[in-house]
Amino acid sequence: MAKSINFILLFSLLAFAPFCQIEGSLYPQFYEGSCPRVHDIVNSIVAKAFAKDPRMAASLLRLHFHDCFVKGCDASILLDSSGTIISEKRSNPNRDSARGFEVIDEIKSAIEKECPGTVSCADILALSARDSTVLTGGPNWEVPLGRRDSLGASIQGSNNNIPAPNNTFETILTKFKLKGLDIVDLVALSGSHTIGDSRCTSFRQRLYNQSGNGKADFTLDQNYAAKLRTQCPRSGGDQNLFVLDFVTPTKFDNNYFKNLLANKGLLSSDEILLTKNKVSADLVKKYAERNDIFFEQFAKSMIKMGNITPLTDSKGEIRKHCRKINK
């Protein structure tokens, strides 16, 4: 009889296991009891922002990426400068380009009214990135939740850790590996450049002096380069925007990889995925051929990236306002 009871107890625990939290881990059902409408609230506000400004989807996706690569996925990117905090918004990768903070503020305000002091800004970033991907036609995935918010920021980490458009392939891969991500994650996550825009200043070098010889990057289609030069001059126009995927700029699909194969990747950091490493080049070709394989891997890599050193349990805090730490 005792054995039967033990077996039933064990079976019950195993059946319930997917909804339990292992200490320090994230899981999709984290707010199921404490804030069951969190998904609906985030999705409705992201959808409204996207309808008003289609660029916002890429901006929110980028915020999550730039957050996770600095101190882990802890919403440090959202903090304004105050007291001892120097905001990551002032770093080279974010200054004049990071956006979407008002959308996150609106989501946080709505959630605080629904379930105060419960949902972290870090989790809002993760959910917003997923919803932005889905709204533009990309893959869906269950977002592991349970992150907490940092008590500080790191402008130095933002300047040093986030891959830059003109970094070498090895530098970018190293930055990914330092975060526990591999070459598959690098290529798949680069596919997020299927939506969004880039500033002239981020790729001007490719148009005029990539190798120090005063000529355009030879890996860039020369007709495409000539078209880009009309709106991205040698000097001035730094903030002029160009779509990263000129075929379907607001649709999340695998045209980004097809563009690379046609030598029409906008950023140097895009094109080197095809020209500097055989493994990454093979992945580019695979994703260009099979949108379903790209979608499947992108979802896996987003979950993996979202798990970069999150604050959990008693670490950090749940901010009342995403721009500042609690008093």
Side-chain angles (χ1 to χ4, degrees), residues 115-128:
C115 31
T118 303
V119 179
S120 69
C121 301
D123 278 345
I124 290 173
L125 281 176
L127 288 168
S128 299

Side-chain angles (χ1 to χ4, degrees), residues 138-178:
N140 197 353
W141 64 91
E142 279 197 307
V143 180
L145 300 167
R147 301 166 189 81
R148 289 168 64 84
D149 300 323
S150 70
L151 299 173
S154 175
I155 189 171
Q156 182 179 3
S158 187
N159 280 323
N160 295 338
N161 299 350
I162 297 172
N166 291 318
N167 280 162
T168 66
F169 179 85
E170 288 303 324
T171 296
I172 294 173
L173 182 58
T174 297
K175 289 181 178 181
F176 269 72
K177 286 182 175 179
L178 287 172

Side-chain angles (χ1 to χ4, degrees), residues 109-259:
S109 177
I111 290 176
E112 282 297 307
K113 290 178 183 177
E114 179 82 12
C115 31
T118 303
V119 179
S120 69
C121 301
D123 278 345
I124 290 173
L125 281 176
L127 288 168
S128 299
R130 189 274 311 276
D131 290 351
S132 294
T133 302
V134 174
L135 281 167
T136 48
N140 197 353
W141 64 91
E142 279 197 307
V143 180
L145 300 167
R147 301 166 189 81
R148 289 168 64 84
D149 300 323
S150 70
L151 299 173
S154 175
I155 189 171
Q156 182 179 3
S158 187
N159 280 323
N160 295 338
N161 299 350
I162 297 172
N166 291 318
N167 280 162
T168 66
F169 179 85
E170 288 303 324
T171 296
I172 294 173
L173 182 58
T174 297
K175 289 181 178 181
F176 269 72
K177 286 182 175 179
L178 287 172
K179 298 301 176 184
L181 304 174
D182 58 27
I183 194 168
V184 176
D185 302 311
L186 164 57
V187 180
L189 292 174
S190 295
S192 63
H193 286 177
T194 182
I195 57 174
D197 303 87
S198 182
R199 297 174 297 158
C200 169
T201 187
S202 296
F203 61 88
R204 175 184 282 120
Q205 182 179 339
R206 294 193 76 199
L207 303 180
Y208 299 101
N209 194 28
Q210 179 72 355
S211 304
N213 58 2
K215 296 182 179 180
D217 187 345
F218 73 92
T219 67
L220 183 64
D221 179 271
Q222 296 306 296
N223 290 327
Y224 182 47
K227 184 177 180 180
L228 294 172
R229 279 194 291 267
T230 63
Q231 297 297 320
C232 185
R234 284 183 182 272
S235 62
D238 286 4
Q239 306 303 317
N240 291 353
L241 292 176
F242 296 77
V243 293
L244 287 159
D245 170 8
F246 67 93
V247 180
T248 51
T250 59
K251 181 175 174 56
F252 199 103
D253 57 25
N254 66 339
N255 272 321
Y256 164 81
F257 297 105
K258 294 178 181 178
N259 294 340

